[in-house]
C-alpha cells in the first residue's frame, strides 16, 4: 500500500518526536528536511487527534514568537509485556513513551490446565491494570518454548507444557480481547536488554538464560533472529554428553541436581555447586558444568559473532565472579571473545522486552517506519517507573508492587 505525502509527513513527525522529545516545530523541520509549514500542519493535525501537546515555550533572546516545545501524549496508548515462566510470571504495563506504569512478579500456578492458565494470565493483568485496562492496545507474551513463525504453535516447552496446548493460546487471546503476540521468552529478554539494559550499545548481541531450562536469543544489527519453527538458539538440545546427554541437562538447575545425585553428592540448591570451598566431588561436577557452558558459549559466538552475551536466569547469578575466566577460555579457543555480562534489567528483562515489542506494534500503527524501530522507544536515561528516579547503570529499577 502506497502512503500519500500527508501520511508520510505525519509519520515522520511522530518518529522524530519519539526520538527527540520534547522538541519544537522548527527543530523537527531542521532535522527531517520537511518545510516548516508542512511540519506545522502535521503537528496541528496530531494535536487535534490528541497525540501531541504543547508543553512549554523555549527561552529565546531574539524578538518575536518564542518556539513552543512539543511532546507526545503518553496516555494515548498502553501495552503490556508478559514473561510467563514455570516458576514466576512477570509483567509490565507501559505507556506510549515506554515509561512503566505497572510492574508485577507473581508465582505461576504451574498445575493449572492450559485454558485456565491462559485465563489466569489475563486476569492478573486486568486486576493490576485497574482503570487503565481499556487503554491497553497490544499484549506480548514470552513463553518458555520455541514459537513457530509459520502457525504460532509452541514446542519444546518441557518446563511448562500447557503452553504447547492450543487451548492455552485460545484462552489467552479470547480473554485479552486485543492483539496478542507470542515469542520465546529469551528473545524478549534480549530485546529488553538491547533497548534498556547492558546490551543497549551492541546491535549484534546474544542472551543466554540458565535456570530451570536453557534458552538463547540472537540478534544481528538490532534484529532478533527467528527460524520458521522457532528453533534458532535452542542450543540446549545439543547432544554433548555420554549416550547423547543433552547440553541443557548439564547446566540447568534440575540437571545439576540430577548429576549431583548420580555422583552421590547431596545439593539442597544448584547454587551450592558454586561455593567457594567445594569438595572434590563438587569440583568434578563444577568442571563438567564449566565444560558444558563453554560449549554453548562457543556455539553462540560462532553462530552470530555477538559483541556481548548477557547471561540471565537463576544459575547465571552464581557466575558473576567467573565471567572473566569464561572470556579467557573463549579467547584461547577462538582468538576472540564477546563480552560476558549479567542482565542490567535483572529478572525483568523478558517482561520489558515483551513490552518493547508491543510498543513497536503501536508505533507501526502510527505509521512509524519499521527501519526506525531498532532505536525506539527512547527513554532518557532508562525505562523507569513514573515518578521514580532513573537508574543510570541498571536500566529499569525494580519497583515494589
Amino acid at each position: 500500500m502506497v502512503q500519500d505525502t500527508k501520511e508520510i509527513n505525519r509519520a515522520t513527525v511522530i518518529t522524530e518526536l519519539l526520538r527527540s522529545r520534547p522538541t519544537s516545530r522548527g527543530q523537527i523541520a531542521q532535522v527531517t528536511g520537511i518545510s516548516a509549514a508542512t511540519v506545522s500542519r502535521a503537528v496541528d493535525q496530531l494535536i487535534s487527534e490528541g497525540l501531541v501537546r504543547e508543553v512549554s515555550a523555549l527561552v529565546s533572546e531574539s524578538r518575536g514568537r518564542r518556539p513552543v516545545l512539543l511532546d507526545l501524549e503518553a496516555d494515548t496508548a498502553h501495552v503490556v509485556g508478559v514473561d510467563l515462566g514455570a516458576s514466576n510470571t512477570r509483567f509490565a504495563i507501559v505507556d506510549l513513551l515506554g515509561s512503566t506504569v505497572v510492574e508485577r512478579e507473581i508465582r505461576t500456578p504451574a498445575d493449572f490446565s492450559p485454558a485456565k492458565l491462559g485465563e489466569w494470565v489475563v486476569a492478573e493483568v486486568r486486576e493490576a491494570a485497574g482503570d487503565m485496562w481499556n487503554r491497553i492496545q497490544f499484549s506480548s507474551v514470552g513463553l518458555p518454548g520455541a514459537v513457530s513463525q509459520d502457525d504460532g504453535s509452541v514446542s519444546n516447552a518441557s518446563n511448562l507444557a500447557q503452553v504447547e496446548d492450543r487451548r492455552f493460546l485460545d484462552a489467552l487471546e479470547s480473554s485479552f480481547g486485543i492483539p496478542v503476540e507470542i515469542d520465546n521468552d529469551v528473545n524478549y529478554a534480549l530485546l529488553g536488554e538491547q533497548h534498556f539494559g547492558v546490551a543497549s550499545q551492541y546491535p549484534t548481541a546474544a542472551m543466554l538464560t540458565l535456570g530451570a531450562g536453557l534458552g538463547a536469543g540472537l540478534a544481528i544489527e538490532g534484529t532478533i533472529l527467528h527460524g520458521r519453527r522457532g528453533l534458532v538458539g535452542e542450543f540446549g538440545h545439543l547432544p554433548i554428553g555420554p549416550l547423547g546427554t543433552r547440553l541443557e541437562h548439564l547446566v540447568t538447575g534440575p540437571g545439576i541436581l540430577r548429576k549431583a545425585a548420580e555422583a552421590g553428592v547431596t545439593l539442597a540448591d544448584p547454587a551450592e555447586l558454586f561455593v567457594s570451598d567445594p569438595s572434590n566431588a563438587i569440583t568434578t561436577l563444577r568442571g563438567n558444568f564449566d565444560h558444558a557452558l563453554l560449549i554453548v558459549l562457543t556455539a553462540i559466538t560462532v553462530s552470530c559473532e555477538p559483541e556481548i552475551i548477557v547471561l540471565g536466569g537463576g544459575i547465571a547469578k552464581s557466575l558473576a565472579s567467573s565471567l572473566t575466566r569464561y572470556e579467557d577460555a573463549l579467547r584461547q579457543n577462538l582468538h576472540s571473545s564477546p563480552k560476558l555480562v549479567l542482565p542490567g534489567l535483572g529478572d525483568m528483562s523478558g517482561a520489558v522486552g515483551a513490552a518493547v515489542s508491543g510498543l513497536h506494534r503501536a508505533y507501526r500503527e502510527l505509521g512509524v517506519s519499521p527501519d526506525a524501530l531498532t532505536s525506539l522507544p527512547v527513554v532518557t536515561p532508562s525505562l523507569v517507573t513514573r515518578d521514580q528516579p532513573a537508574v543510570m547503570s541498571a536500566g529499569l529499577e525494580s519497583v515494589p508492587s
Side-chain angles (χ1 to χ4, degrees), residues 59-398:
V59 176
S60 175
E61 296 181 357
S62 61
R63 294 182 179 181
R65 184 179 178 183
R66 292 187 298 170
V68 176
L69 286 177
L70 307 165
D71 205 350
L72 289 163
E73 284 285 5
D75 289 334
T76 302
H78 288 72
V79 302
V80 59
V82 181
D83 179 10
L84 178 62
S87 299
N88 296 289
T89 294
R90 304 174 179 92
F91 62 86
I93 300 174
V94 306
D95 64 23
L96 186 65
L97 302 180
S99 294
T100 303
V101 293
V102 174
E103 175 187 327
R104 291 288 186 275
E105 177 176 353
I106 44 183
R107 295 288 297 178
T108 302
D111 58 341
F112 277 10
S113 68
K116 189 175 180 181
L117 183 61
E119 294 167 353
W120 172 84
V121 169
V122 181
E124 291 294 332
V125 173
R126 180 187 285 270
E127 180 181 356
D131 293 340
M132 78 181 71
W133 169 256
N134 290 331
R135 294 202 297 271
I136 298 177
Q137 294 187 357
F138 298 101
S139 59
S140 300
V141 182
L143 303 175
V147 178
S148 170
Q149 298 296 297
D150 287 341
D151 57 11
S153 61
V154 182
S155 62
N156 299 298
S158 57
N159 293 315
L160 195 63
Q162 298 97 311
V163 303
E164 296 186 22
D165 194 310
R166 185 66 222 183
R167 288 172 293 182
F168 163 79
L169 297 177
D170 289 343
L172 193 70
E173 292 170 352
S174 62
S175 298
F176 262 127
I178 56 176
V180 179
E181 175 190 79
I182 60 171
D183 199 353
N184 176 262
D185 52 1
V186 187
N187 287 341
Y188 280 147
L190 177 56
L191 188 64
E193 290 294 329
Q194 282 198 296
H195 280 267
F196 299 109
V198 292
S200 61
Q201 302 301 314
Y202 301 93
T204 299
M207 181 97 187
L208 174 66
T209 60
L210 302 169
L214 181 151
L218 311 175
I220 295 180
E221 295 303 320
T223 300
I224 304 294
L225 301 185
H226 292 92
R228 284 183 56 196
R229 297 178 178 83
L231 294 176
V232 172
E234 293 290 327
F235 298 107
H237 295 281
L238 292 174
I240 68 165
L243 302 177
T245 301
R246 293 194 300 186
L247 192 149
E248 66 177 349
H249 293 160
L250 301 176
V251 295
T252 60
I256 289 171
L257 295 179
R258 188 181 306 114
K259 290 299 179 182
E262 292 173 357
V265 177
T266 300
L267 296 180
D269 187 279
E272 294 179 9
L273 179 64
F274 310 98
V275 296
S276 57
D277 187 22
S279 65
N280 290 335
I282 288 182
T283 298
T284 299
L285 290 172
R286 176 62 191 272
N288 292 337
F289 171 91
D290 286 343
H291 176 71
L293 180 58
L294 184 59
I295 289 176
V296 71
L297 290 173
T298 301
I300 292 173
T301 302
V302 301
S303 66
C304 67
E305 294 191 31
E307 301 167 89
I308 189 171
I309 300 177
V310 184
L311 282 79
I315 300 300
K317 295 175 182 178
S318 299
L319 303 178
S321 62
S322 301
L323 298 183
T324 301
R325 182 164 57 85
Y326 295 134
E327 288 179 359
D328 291 341
L330 286 172
R331 200 170 290 112
Q332 182 177 354
N333 290 341
L334 302 174
H335 305 293
S336 66
S337 172
K339 184 178 181 181
L340 304 181
V341 298
L342 298 183
L345 303 178
D347 293 332
M348 290 299 296
S349 300
V352 171
V356 169
S357 184
L359 284 174
H360 285 174
R361 299 178 73 188
Y363 295 163
R364 287 196 295 269
E365 287 287 312
L366 294 175
V368 174
S369 168
D371 294 337
L373 297 179
T374 56
S375 61
L376 297 175
V378 175
V379 180
T380 304
S382 61
L383 184 62
V384 295
T385 300
R386 287 182 180 177
D387 302 324
Q388 295 291 327
V391 181
M392 293 292 291
S393 62
L396 182 146
E397 180 180 27
S398 179

Side-chain angles (χ1 to χ4, degrees), residues 1-83:
M1 179 179 179
V2 179
Q3 289 182 303
D4 62 29
T5 302
K6 185 177 180 180
E7 290 176 333
I8 293 173
N9 291 334
R10 178 181 181 277
T12 301
V13 170
I14 291 175
T15 302
E16 185 55 30
L17 276 167
L18 285 167
R19 283 175 171 160
S20 305
R21 47 169 290 270
T23 189
S24 68
R25 290 171 174 84
Q27 289 169 332
I28 293 174
Q30 183 177 8
V31 171
T32 63
I34 301 174
S35 72
T38 300
V39 168
S40 188
R41 285 194 295 271
V43 167
D44 289 343
Q45 177 63 35
L46 291 169
I47 290 175
S48 69
E49 294 175 14
L51 281 171
V52 171
R53 60 191 172 97
E54 296 179 335
V55 292
S56 64
L58 284 169
V59 176
S60 175
E61 296 181 357
S62 61
R63 294 182 179 181
R65 184 179 178 183
R66 292 187 298 170
V68 176
L69 286 177
L70 307 165
D71 205 350
L72 289 163
E73 284 285 5
D75 289 334
T76 302
H78 288 72
V79 302
V80 59
V82 181
D83 179 10

